[in-house]
Amino acid sequence: MKFMKLGSKPDAFQVDGKGIRHVTSDLATDIIIKVGDLKFYLHKFPLLSKSNHMQKLVQKASEDNCDEIIMVDFPGGPNAFEICAKFCYGMAVTLNAYNVVAARCAAEYLEMTEDVDRGNLIFKIEVFLNSSIFHSWKDSIIVLRTAKSLLPWSENLKIVGRCIDSIASKTSVDPANITWSYTYNRKLSVQDKIVGDSMKLQEKIESVPKDWWVEDICELEIDLYKRVMTAVKSKGRMDGAVIGEALKTYAVRWLPDSVDALVSGVHSWRNKLLVETIACLLPSDNGVGCSCSFLLKLLKVAVLAGIDDSSKEDLVKRISLKLHEASVKDLLIPARSPQTTLYDVGMVQSIVNQYMTHEQRSQDVEPGKSAGFVLGHGSLLSVGKLIDWYLGEIAHDQNLSLTSFIDLSCSVSELARPVHDGLYKAIDIYLKEHPSLTKAERKKICGLMDVKKLTMEASMHAAQNDRLPLRVVVQVLFFEQVKAATRAQSRNSDARATCVSKMSPDEEWDKTMGEDCRSLKKKMSEVETNEDGGQKNSKMGKKKSRNSKSGVQLLPSRSRRIFDKLWVVGVGKGHVDNRSSETSGSSQSPSSAVVVRDNTTKSSGVPSRHRRHSVS
């Protein structure tokens, strides 16, 4: 730390009782000056020789026949006045970064200028500031912090502005040229080590990081911090990533960790101001300078602190550009009243909408971009998985409406979901946590997923899921049987396997299942009619295929029983044969409906609705 000594006489100020200071001298004091709670018993001549303002005050006191002068609102208080008084007496005074601002403001108040005496206190302090303080990184920060309590004097004297300019200029210095100690817990970038034989060996030069300055300015209050960061950005030489790191460090330093502390009335105003300030200081580089996790944490505080909508919209826009980097934990933004849900789903909906709009614009810019390329785009796939996981998390909320769940699910492009396992899991959790859903609502939410995009594991789970509508279970069973049959056919025919390997999954599906899927639609409508009609007796033809082992045996026994009562899968000459079942209302069915209960299903956990078999 830099310092400057003024005067050479010994300190003769003494404390006499409580609140009294006097000068030890052969001459009796002839004036009393009260500053704050302290009274100074001094001599007129030393003060009048250095201070123009003291001359005016003494003259006025003489006219009023008063020996005591009261100074109201003296900048720096009694300590600053004592420094000025000692300088007038020629006593030794040491100025440093902690007291120089107070001394400068007090000297200005007392008008200790060159007009009164050459080499006066104002001149000497200005020399010290310009030649030492503003050249020192640490001292500039200390002076700026102390200047906060001396407003508006320090502002009018341009001390604050000069400190900010000094700090901003030093942050723009090439890290390779930094030779000063930039924090109290880091060493110099270059050190010299004295060895026992008096030889100097230069230690290994430690690389100075680009963000070497961010920790030190975190001690500044938010208004001064904003001015410093604005000056740093105005220089135009600071990388956006470093600015983002500085803002993150400051937020971690001052924002509380708990939600209760964020919304408490004691610090709510400060937290709101802090988030608004950081939001306006974010680098304008399309979100490159800040991580998505940090931006989402800012948004959480913004929602809880109730900042203005413009700041929240700016954060939402920035987050949408980096949504693929987020985690589910980051997206769990607590909801505020009057919302009844646990998390702010609407805010996440806005982020996803912004992201998909940006993706659409990117595709419009590149009209030649194919669907296959988009499917291989990591960011889009990451967002699809992220939203499915988020849906699974919020599905536990009893107050989450079906509309909110469906809207958020539909906001993600189908290209982002090549596999629907995550969506199926979220739907299953929602059905489990909301058992009061009507049949129509269950069908509506299950309509979000495409059973053809479920993996084998998810399909097996869905086939035995009591919470799914029967129509969905039948669809799952059918498509799994078709896949199994297709795999068996490909193994039995080398020529067909070669042909299939050259086709895309969609082409293969269309070619293999063209006629069968049309037949399936008719059968699905029949199943839906029977399900909606309640407990109707049905007559279904049952015919075992000789080749059924290739596909049916891959499914659980319960699934085979349900499937066999709807249609029979047979492996023929390169196609799958779907045979229509006979209903109880068919005039061609000679047999009657018989209900058979399978006692083995009790131990396997199969629901009762799947244990009713129609046999001819």
Side-chain angles (χ1 to χ4, degrees):
M1 180 183 295
K2 305 292 184 180
F3 64 92
M4 181 176 71
K5 287 187 176 181
L6 301 175
S8 57
K9 297 180 180 178
D11 188 354
F13 272 68
Q14 301 293 328
V15 178
D16 185 9
K18 186 176 182 181
I20 296 178
R21 300 282 179 90
H22 65 90
V23 178
T24 304
S25 175
D26 296 336
L27 299 175
T29 58
D30 52 5
I31 188 174
I32 302 173
I33 300 176
K34 185 178 181 181
V35 181
D37 297 333
L38 293 182
K39 287 185 178 182
F40 293 87
Y41 290 80
L42 305 174
H43 302 88
K44 293 181 182 179
F45 178 74
L47 300 178
L48 299 180
S49 63
K50 300 288 186 181
S51 172
N52 189 35
H53 189 61
M54 284 300 304
Q55 294 176 10
K56 299 175 184 177
L57 294 176
V58 169
Q59 181 178 358
K60 183 178 179 181
S62 300
E63 294 174 356
D64 297 339
N65 294 323
C66 179
D67 295 333
E68 183 174 331
I69 298 175
I70 300 177
M71 293 186 177
V72 182
D73 297 331
F74 189 87
N79 292 334
F81 177 79
E82 185 174 341
I83 292 175
C84 295
K86 288 180 178 180
F87 176 80
C88 293
Y89 279 93
M91 298 177 186
V93 177
T94 301
L95 296 178
N96 54 46
Y98 289 100
N99 61 15
V100 67
V101 180
R104 176 64 181 88
C105 295
E108 187 70 20
Y109 181 92
L110 294 173
E111 299 178 12
M112 302 176 72
T113 63
E114 294 295 288
D115 297 338
V116 180
D117 185 45
R118 189 175 181 180
N120 213 340
L121 184 56
I122 291 178
F123 172 78
K124 293 185 179 295
I125 291 178
E126 284 295 329
V127 171
F128 178 54
L129 289 172
N130 295 324
S131 63
S132 298
I133 294 296
F134 297 143
H135 285 261
S136 170
W137 167 253
K138 286 185 176 180
D139 290 345
S140 297
I141 296 177
I142 295 172
V143 167
L144 184 58
R145 292 178 60 191
T146 58
K148 172 73 174 179
S149 61
L150 291 163
L151 295 174
W153 287 91
S154 58
E155 191 73 67
N156 295 335
L157 295 173
K158 302 187 185 325
I159 295 176
V160 174
R162 286 183 287 173
C163 281
I164 291 174
D165 186 67
S166 172
I167 294 170
S169 298
K170 288 180 176 57
T171 60
S172 303
V173 173
D174 186 353
N177 297 329
I178 295 176
T179 57
W180 59 80
S181 178
Y182 43 89
T183 66
Y184 55 85
N185 57 1
R186 295 181 183 176
K187 299 179 180 179
L188 294 174
S189 60
V190 180
Q191 296 180 339
D192 289 332
K193 185 177 180 180
I194 308 299
V195 193
D197 58 358
S198 300
M199 294 179 60
K200 288 186 176 181
L201 296 178
Q202 190 178 51
E203 284 189 343
K204 181 181 179 180
I205 300 177
E206 300 176 359
S207 60
V208 178
K210 292 182 178 180
D211 61 345
W212 61 266
W213 49 274
V214 302
E215 292 182 9
D216 287 345
I217 64 172
C218 282
E219 300 302 319
L220 298 175
E221 294 190 25
I222 186 62
D223 53 342
L224 293 176
Y225 181 84
K226 180 180 180 180
R227 294 178 62 178
V228 170
M229 290 302 299
T230 302
V232 170
K233 293 177 64 178
S234 66
K235 299 289 183 182
R237 290 175 285 181
M238 188 59 60
D239 185 70
V242 180
I243 293 178
E245 182 64 24
L247 297 175
K248 178 181 178 180
T249 304
Y250 191 82
V252 172
R253 169 68 176 81
W254 289 103
L255 283 177
D257 297 329
S258 65
V259 175
D260 295 337
L262 284 172
V263 298
S264 65
V266 180
H267 302 295
S268 60
W269 180 84
R270 187 195 68 180
N271 296 333
K272 179 180 178 181
L273 178 62
L274 192 150
V275 175
E276 289 177 346
T277 301
I278 293 179
C280 75
L281 290 174
L282 290 172
S284 56
D285 55 359
N286 293 330
V288 175
C290 298
S291 67
C292 187
S293 178
F294 170 62
L295 293 175
L296 280 166
K297 288 178 182 177
L298 277 183
L299 184 59
K300 289 181 183 179
V301 180
V303 172
L304 294 172
I307 69 171
D308 59 275
D309 293 337
S310 60
S311 298
K312 285 190 287 189
E313 290 174 1
D314 181 62
L315 287 173
V316 167
K317 181 179 179 180
R318 292 175 180 272
I319 292 169
S320 66
L321 297 175
K322 311 185 76 174
L323 183 59
H324 58 281
E325 298 179 1
S327 65
V328 176
K329 183 179 179 181
D330 295 332
L331 290 178
L332 297 178
I333 304 171
R336 289 196 68 185
S337 179
Q339 297 184 63
T340 58
T341 55
L342 185 60
Y343 301 109
D344 195 335
V345 181
M347 188 67 69
V348 176
Q349 177 83 59
S350 300
I351 296 173
V352 177
N353 291 341
Q354 290 263 13
Y355 173 83
M356 295 310 302
T357 301
H358 177 72
E359 282 292 317
Q360 186 62 45
R361 290 175 181 172
S362 299
Q363 294 180 33
D364 293 341
V365 173
E366 302 178 54
K369 183 184 291 186
S370 63
F373 178 81
V374 175
L375 280 173
H377 197 277
S379 63
L380 188 61
L381 296 178
S382 297
V383 171
K385 292 181 181 179
L386 174 67
I387 298 306
D388 286 347
W389 293 339
Y390 178 77
L391 287 170
E393 190 67 30
I394 64 175
H396 294 279
D397 190 353
Q398 298 289 338
N399 295 324
L400 179 65
S401 66
L402 180 63
T403 302
S404 297
F405 186 95
I406 293 176
D407 289 346
L408 181 57
S409 175
C410 293
S411 63
V412 180
S413 170
E414 280 299 316
L415 297 176
R417 285 195 181 108
V419 178
H420 277 206
D421 285 17
L423 181 59
Y424 163 67
K425 182 178 180 181
I427 292 173
D428 185 41
I429 295 173
Y430 191 88
L431 293 174
K432 180 179 179 181
E433 298 295 333
H434 300 78
S436 61
L437 291 177
T438 65
K439 183 181 298 184
E441 289 174 333
R442 289 191 295 117
K443 288 182 179 180
K444 187 175 182 180
I445 192 173
C446 289
L448 295 172
M449 64 178 176
D450 186 351
V451 296
K452 291 185 293 184
K453 294 184 179 181
L454 295 178
T455 62
M456 174 69 76
E457 183 180 0
S459 296
M460 293 299 98
H461 186 277
Q464 302 181 72
N465 193 338
D466 297 341
R467 291 180 285 273
L468 298 180
L470 181 59
R471 179 180 176 84
V472 177
V473 175
V474 171
Q475 287 177 332
V476 172
L477 289 171
F478 173 77
F479 287 116
E480 279 304 315
Q481 290 291 78
V482 169
K483 291 178 184 177
T486 303
R487 288 193 294 267
Q489 294 171 23
S490 65
R491 288 195 298 268
N492 295 333
S493 176
D494 294 337
R496 177 172 174 77
T498 303
C499 179
V500 169
S501 64
K502 295 180 180 180
M503 293 189 294
S504 66
D506 290 339
E507 292 173 343
E508 178 184 352
W509 182 268
D510 293 339
K511 183 175 181 180
T512 306
M513 296 308 304
E515 295 296 331
D516 298 323
C517 287
R518 283 192 291 271
S519 176
L520 172 66
K521 291 181 180 179
K522 180 178 179 182
K523 299 179 185 300
M524 291 299 101
S525 62
E526 295 175 0
V527 172
E528 186 176 16
T529 303
N530 292 337
E531 181 185 5
D532 294 340
Q535 301 292 336
K536 287 186 177 181
N537 294 327
S538 61
K539 298 179 181 179
M540 298 185 178
K542 179 177 180 183
K543 184 178 180 180
K544 295 183 179 179
S545 173
R546 296 178 180 179
N547 298 326
S548 62
K549 293 182 180 180
S550 61
V552 176
Q553 295 300 327
L554 297 177
L555 297 175
S557 60
R558 168 187 174 273
S559 302
R560 293 201 307 274
R561 287 197 299 274
I562 296 176
F563 192 75
D564 289 342
K565 303 309 175 291
L566 297 174
W567 64 78
V568 178
V569 175
V571 180
K573 298 180 180 181
H575 72 281
V576 180
D577 183 19
N578 295 325
R579 300 184 181 179
S580 301
S581 61
E582 298 179 357
T583 64
S584 59
S586 174
S587 60
Q588 299 176 0
S589 177
S591 59
S592 60
V594 180
V595 178
V596 181
R597 294 187 179 272
D598 188 353
N599 295 329
T600 60
T601 59
K602 182 176 181 181
S603 60
S604 61
V606 180
S608 60
R609 62 172 183 177
H610 294 165
R611 295 202 294 266
R612 294 188 179 88
H613 299 174
S614 297
V615 298
S616 57

